Amino acid sequence: MALVNAISGESDQQGPVTSASPSGDGGDGGGSPSASATADPATPAESVPLVIRVTGQPTTVVVRVADAQGKVLTNGQLDTGDTLQYDEAPLQVVATNGGSLQVTIYGELQARKPNGQRGQWFVGDQS
């Protein structure tokens, strides 16, 4: 099946866009994330609520829906080069090492956090 997907360019993977699978799911049993599985070139970057790129050292990242249920979409270590994209909001993002991440919210690159310090971001509904 992997060979078929490699040839056709389609993937049966569901979840956030990533160049490598995050290791560990934190045992939350939260199921598959509702993030985009493919990058759509027709979608303007400003309309994508959240894109996370790991540009520094691997770090633990938690992304959850910021509502009463607080569904966890991602909970685990992301490695250098990993990219995740989420197509829903509102979201809360926490990273053990905020300086390792490049965070873009609705097409706007966020200020870099100090290396080695916890980073937090909030993605609101775009109205």
Side-chain angles (χ1 to χ4, degrees), residues 20-117:
S21 297
S23 58
D25 64 2
D28 64 37
S32 65
S34 56
S36 171
T38 59
D40 182 358
T43 304
E46 307 84 51
S47 66
V48 177
L50 176 65
V51 178
I52 299 171
R53 288 185 181 86
V54 183
T55 58
Q57 297 178 347
T59 187
T60 300
V61 176
V62 178
V63 179
R64 73 177 62 222
V65 178
D67 63 9
Q69 289 79 29
K71 179 180 173 187
V72 176
L73 303 178
T74 300
N75 183 7
Q77 180 170 306
L78 301 181
D79 295 320
T80 305
D82 284 354
T83 299
L84 291 96
Q85 176 175 312
Y86 298 88
D87 293 325
E88 65 181 282
L91 298 170
Q92 293 175 321
V93 182
V94 178
T96 304
N97 181 358
S100 287
L101 301 182
Q102 178 185 45
V103 177
T104 305
I105 299 174
Y106 292 112
E108 184 176 330
L109 185 61
Q110 303 299 297
R112 181 77 99 189
K113 303 291 184 183
N115 195 33
Q117 293 186 11

